[in-house]
Structures are given as C-alpha cells and as structure tokens.
Amino acid sequence: MTMCWYEGPLAAFDTETTGVDVETDRIVSAAVVVQDAPGVRPRVSRWLVNPGVPVPAEATAVHGLTEEHLQRNGRWPAPVVYEIAETLAEQAHAGRPVVVMNAPFDLTLLDRELRRHRASALGRWFESAPLWVLDPRVLDKHLDRYRKGRRTLTDLCAHYGVALEGAHDAAADAMAALEVTRAVGRRFASRLERLAPGELHTLQAVWHAAQARGLQAWFARSGVEETVDPAWPLRPDLPAAA
C-alpha cells in the first residue's frame, strides 16, 4: 500500500503582512517549512522584509514586527519575493504538496508583490511543475461542515489538538498549519486516503467556490455588503479600471 499524502513529505508557507488587503498590503516576513515525515525536525527558511511602506500599529500588534525593526533588519522586497517563489517552485518540482492556511490570501499577496517588484506573476514559477496546495481551512470546512465556531488557525489547532507556540510568527504558523493538515488527513482518512495531492488540489478549488457562495448568500441575508471571492488558491489579477 502506498503511503498517504498526510503521512509523507509536506511543506508549508506563511506570511506576516502590513494588513489584510491582498492588493495593497505588503509582506513583512515569510517562512517555508519542509518536513520529510511526521515527527521529523523540519527545515525552515525565513525571510524578513523592509516593505518600504509604513507598518500600521494594528499590524505590529499582531506580529510584533515594528517599522523600525524591519527598516534595520529587513531586506528589500524584490530579492526576497524572488527567493520565496523559487523555494515554492522547488517544492513543486519535488512533488511535495505545500500547506497554505487560507491560501488565497498568502499566495495572492505574493503574486502581487512579484508583479510590483519583479514585473512577474507567481504562475510563471509553476509552468514546468504544478504547485499542489493543501489548505486546512478549506479541507476542515468541507469535511466537517456543520461544526459551529470560527476556523482560524488558532481554532483549528485547538480542535485538532495541535500545539501552536509563537502564533503570528510565520514559521510557527506554517508549522502549525502543516500539523493541522496532517491531523485533518488522519481524522478523515476514509475520505482522503485514496486522493492524490493533485486530485485534492482540484477538489479544494471546487469546495472553496461552494463555501464562498454559501458565505455570500449568508452575507446577503444579513445585509452585509461584502464580496466573497470564489477563486482558490490564487485570486485573478484585478482588471484595470475602465
């Protein structure tokens, strides 16, 4: 019997940012962790970025990175975003799935940073080998859809019994998301073990779109004027204003 993806090699990617708008906010730190098997010490790549724009106090309150610290210790975004894309491409070439909690946020933000600083889209890095993304938020929401409560990384860690030490540090969050994804795989093994990561990637795009439609309908009933983007794992580039 071949090994299930959730017991095999996985990577994970996470960012800390200046805010929550993927079109205008910037990356201030990022991490990619690679774990060859459950329980094995991960290899961690970290980046600290001087975004070249103000870092709001609200963002610093979340991740603890001040504008002064980033100006003193961070690198310029252009080489960093290139290195991150290269590192993700390495995972794709190795056939190693990449866990990204709430993937449309982090991957779209990286895509916009690449466009901003390198005049290049993220998709360019995956022309020769596809990136298979595992999003614990989408997986959990689909597989346990009637469970009440929020589904932030902290909530998922609590629900699946994963220790989250140093929340809102990119490497800590990436590792926690990776562990949650393994835990989701084990808990729903009967529904997941026959699926290859490539198949699961395709399914998550369908599941996320359905989840987005459901949330949009709920917003409409509640009188909330907010648009939910159904695209996963990457939002398309915004069309230029007519």
Side-chain angles (χ1 to χ4, degrees):
M1 163 108 183
T2 54
M3 185 168 53
C4 305
W5 58 263
Y6 49 85
E7 301 296 357
L10 290 178
F13 168 59
D14 187 64
T15 63
E16 297 301 330
T17 64
T18 59
V20 295
D21 186 329
V22 294
E23 302 299 338
T24 58
D25 278 305
R26 310 298 174 91
I27 294 171
V28 296
S29 75
V32 172
V33 301
V34 178
Q35 189 184 45
D36 293 323
V40 172
R41 182 186 287 274
R43 300 187 296 283
V44 182
S45 302
R46 302 170 188 267
W47 294 269
L48 197 63
V49 187
N50 175 1
V53 300
V55 179
E58 307 88 78
T60 298
V62 172
H63 49 59
L65 298 169
T66 63
E67 197 170 321
E68 296 73 30
H69 178 76
L70 293 166
Q71 285 173 352
R72 207 166 46 242
N73 301 290
R75 295 166 59 206
W76 287 112
V80 171
V81 294
Y82 180 85
E83 287 169 22
I84 295 170
E86 286 283 299
T87 303
L88 293 176
E90 285 167 21
Q91 311 314 312
H93 280 282
R96 200 179 287 122
V98 177
V99 172
V100 191
M101 171 77 186
N102 191 16
F105 178 78
D106 294 82
L107 292 179
T108 304
L109 199 75
L110 176 60
D111 174 75
R112 303 310 191 252
E113 288 278 52
L114 285 162
R115 291 168 188 265
R116 187 177 289 127
H117 297 291
R118 307 216 50 117
S120 181
L122 180 59
R124 208 205 102 203
W125 270 266
F126 307 111
E127 286 166 356
S128 58
L131 183 70
W132 294 329
V133 177
L134 299 169
D135 187 333
R137 191 161 178 255
V138 173
L139 292 171
D140 171 72
K141 209 168 180 182
H142 178 78
L143 295 161
D144 196 358
R145 66 180 70 181
Y146 300 112
R147 187 176 84 249
K148 294 278 190 281
R150 299 169 69 223
R151 297 179 196 245
T152 66
L153 181 59
T154 305
D155 298 315
L156 294 185
C157 285
H159 182 72
Y160 288 98
V162 170
L164 176 55
E165 288 155 20
H168 299 298
D169 165 78
D173 285 358
M175 194 63 216
L178 189 152
E179 294 288 5
V180 165
T181 302
R182 291 201 192 279
V184 171
R186 291 181 191 120
R187 186 166 299 186
F188 297 99
S190 61
R191 296 164 68 182
L192 293 174
E193 62 188 357
R194 290 180 193 83
L195 294 169
E199 297 173 296
L200 198 49
H201 179 102
T202 304
L203 283 169
Q204 286 170 99
V206 176
W207 296 344
H208 179 272
Q211 291 163 9
R213 284 195 300 274
L215 183 57
Q216 192 74 73
W218 185 81
F219 279 162
R221 289 194 302 273
S222 310
V224 177
E225 291 193 11
E226 191 174 324
T227 305
V228 185
D229 196 318
W232 183 97
L234 182 66
R235 294 178 190 162
D237 198 22
L238 283 182

